Amino acid sequence: AGGKKKVFYSYVSAKWPITCMKNLGKYMIIGSEKGLSIFDTKKMNAVMSATKFDTFPTTKVNALLIHNNTLYVGLDQGIAKLNISGGIESIKNMYDPGIWTMDVSSVTPVRSFLVSSGKVKTYSGLSTVFKGEILHSDSSVLYSNNKEVFRFPSDITVLKSNGNECWIGTTENYFYRWDGKNATNYSIPGM
């Protein structure tokens, strides 16, 4: 199909299963089961990592967001925030757990972020904006603006929208197209 690929085995060999990624200029912020790392896409290596967030006991990164010069990290216990207004290069020691500002006032675990009316909102399930409404999930239930709108036969694993189209992946029932009222199921031909 064309194009080039390069595989980086260091995350696998370090036992850092990747959970999420966020692009920031020449850097890729990579969240994992063991913390996060800043990957330089020009040098093609990780330049720094965080393996502890203040006093939180676990380091699994569920979600990432960059908003108003702040890196938001969604964790099982809340949110870790880091001011990046000076750029990634200004961070001297990401291993220092004290550089993070902790916020435990949100839902837990934090698995997704949305920015609505300039404010960061957190969700314990997946979330997206579709046709001006906030969609979010809880197991197999889809909510629109906090009102239950649909129950899927299995858990929701992916919720993606470009604003005009919405696609929903599930654990056992392939995927769906959501039109705002109904879900159309699509199967993947297999053996």
Side-chain angles (χ1 to χ4, degrees), residues 87-162:
I88 292 294
E89 297 85 0
S90 70
I91 301 168
K92 299 297 180 216
N93 183 6
M94 205 168 217
Y95 282 110
D96 177 4
I99 67 172
W100 299 92
T101 302
M102 309 315 288
D103 180 351
V104 294
S105 66
S106 67
V107 298
T108 54
V110 176
R111 290 205 174 102
S112 65
F113 295 103
L114 281 180
V115 177
S116 178
S117 301
K119 294 186 179 176
V120 175
K121 294 187 174 206
T122 59
Y123 297 91
S124 59
L126 303 168
S127 61
T128 191
V129 175
F130 174 61
K131 294 185 178 179
E133 295 189 3
I134 295 175
L135 295 180
H136 66 97
S137 68
D138 179 15
S139 299
S140 62
V141 180
L142 180 67
Y143 298 90
S144 178
N145 292 336
N146 290 325
K147 180 182 173 195
E148 183 179 321
V149 292
F150 200 84
R151 282 188 179 267
F152 291 87
S154 61
D155 286 351
I156 297 168
T157 56
V158 177
L159 185 59
K160 293 292 181 186
S161 173
N162 63 9

